[in-house]
Amino acid sequence: MDHTTRARISLIAAHLAHSEHSQLQNEGVLERIDCRSKGGASGFKVAVLGASGGIGQPLSMLMKMNPLVSVLHLYDVVNTPGVTADISHMDTTAVVRGFVGKEQLEAALVGMDLVIIPAGIPRKPGMTRDDLFKINAGIVRTLCEGVAKCCPNAIVNIISNPVNSTVPIAAEVFKRGGVYNPKRLMGVTALDVVRANTFVAEVVGVDPKEIDVPVVGGHAGITILPLLSQVNPSFSFTKEEIEYLTNRIQNGGTEVVEAKAGTGSATLSMAFAAAKFADACLHGLRGDAGVVQCAFVASEVTELPFFASKVRLGRAGIEEVYPLGPLSAYERSGLEKLKKELLASIDKGISSVRQ
């Protein structure tokens, strides 16, 4: 085999397998250790942790479609090679690499610009978001320890429920690792906004793309507070409409769990919302102006240490956290009602790490 042929095969091998153990064997026969994709446009490096799950798979597909992504790392404890092979066949430019098992977590995280964490078990009928805590808290803690070690400057999007507790857990893990940057840690509450936009659009009879509903507070039940008085463009709602919309937005997750009748929770709509939010983060990293989203973040907007509200995203991550603005009497009442429950969830997350 001449030098030119060997060089060409070596180049192909670099695309076929990311592992440093990948090698040429038996006179140029390639060992396919990992699933792969050829490509490599300029852009950002993104990791999805929990890529084989109900949210992770469609989310990974949507991130492969994003032109701002140049490298996409897919990690899970099982089934990642198959998911990676499947997604890698999509004719978009992002290079896809799969990682499976705890021993490959660090390799999945090195050099990432954005880490998205949907890992964990889904909510099942009769299960509260608090029930999820016992399992998902440990998963998030382990994954964030990997982030702290391998890509401490990455923006981290937490999807794993209960977000009201898992974001504080992530913050405590990063503090322990000496790498905590509140500007780069965000709980993804975008699904609450997506639902709010959809449900409001149904009531007023317009395209949901034309609606922007701020949703503040937290990401569970009554901690979800849509600010219908601040809908853009402005609409007038009756008392009955406000109560209907608020309740439906707050219970949107339960609506899906019950409709799926034991087969799962919100996965497709969550993946859609998470991909929209991740795209906003990437546009912010690129330096685009006016990138504003709602997210659950470290906050001084209220007396609570974490709170979901509008934030402006940029190269630093969160560059500005916006105040709540004027609230209606109904919203002020809802704000006071949610604080106790939200604080309890935050404290539970913090305590789980500090114990």
Side-chain angles (χ1 to χ4, degrees), residues 58-340:
L59 174 58
S60 297
M61 181 186 72
L62 292 169
M63 296 313 296
K64 177 71 166 79
M65 295 169 63
N66 192 311
L68 296 181
V69 179
S70 61
V71 174
L72 180 62
H73 282 190
L74 306 183
Y75 170 85
D76 214 319
V77 292
V78 293
N79 301 328
T80 328
V83 175
T84 309
D86 198 357
I87 289 175
S88 73
H89 292 178
M90 296 168 58
D91 60 349
T92 63
T93 55
V95 174
V96 183
R97 294 164 179 158
F99 303 81
V100 61
K102 292 181 180 179
E103 67 279 0
Q104 293 189 7
L105 175 60
E106 293 185 9
L109 289 170
V110 171
M112 294 296 103
D113 299 303
L114 172 65
V115 177
I116 310 172
I117 306 181
I121 65 167
R123 188 156 62 105
K124 300 176 182 178
M127 178 184 286
T128 67
R129 292 183 185 274
D130 191 58
D131 292 333
L132 297 178
F133 179 85
K134 296 177 182 178
I135 296 175
N136 289 356
I139 295 172
V140 169
R141 182 171 179 172
T142 297
L143 296 177
C144 287
E145 286 171 350
V147 172
K149 181 177 180 181
C150 301
C151 54
N153 294 318
I155 288 179
V156 179
N157 289 176
I158 303 287
I159 299 171
S160 307
N161 275 317
V163 166
N164 293 352
S165 297
T166 54
V167 171
I169 286 172
E172 290 300 308
V173 170
F174 294 149
K175 288 176 183 178
R176 283 193 168 191
V179 297
Y180 178 51
N181 182 347
K183 294 183 177 182
R184 303 184 84 81
L185 174 62
M186 309 170 201
V188 179
T189 61
L191 180 53
D192 299 325
V193 176
V194 166
R195 285 173 173 151
N197 293 343
T198 301
F199 301 158
V200 168
E202 290 175 356
V203 168
V204 299
V206 300
D207 187 335
K209 293 180 181 178
E210 298 176 0
I211 298 288
D212 179 23
V213 184
V215 182
V216 304
H219 186 55
I222 66 165
T223 71
I224 300 168
L225 182 62
L227 302 185
L228 298 173
S229 68
Q230 297 182 24
V231 173
N232 186 24
S234 179
F235 292 95
S236 295
F237 300 100
T238 66
K239 178 182 177 182
E240 291 73 22
E241 287 173 335
I242 290 171
E243 291 178 350
Y244 162 77
L245 286 167
T246 300
N247 290 332
R248 191 176 180 201
I249 293 163
Q250 290 176 338
N251 294 293
T254 300
E255 181 178 320
V256 175
V257 168
E258 292 178 349
K260 289 191 173 183
T263 64
S265 59
T267 54
L268 302 176
S269 55
M270 182 67 250
F272 170 79
K276 285 187 67 174
F277 186 77
D279 181 68
C281 290
L282 295 178
H283 278 278
L285 281 174
R286 192 173 68 174
D288 292 7
V291 181
V292 178
Q293 294 283 314
C294 290
F296 186 65
V297 301
S299 176
E300 296 180 354
V301 167
T302 69
E303 65 271 26
L304 303 180
F306 294 89
F307 197 82
S309 61
K310 280 191 172 183
V311 300
R312 179 169 56 84
L313 302 171
R315 288 195 171 98
I318 300 165
E319 298 198 336
E320 184 176 3
V321 178
Y322 291 103
L324 294 179
L327 305 180
S328 68
Y330 184 87
E331 291 160 356
R332 288 195 299 272
S333 174
L335 177 61
E336 292 308 310
K337 289 178 182 177
L338 71 82
K339 287 181 179 178
K340 182 178 179 180

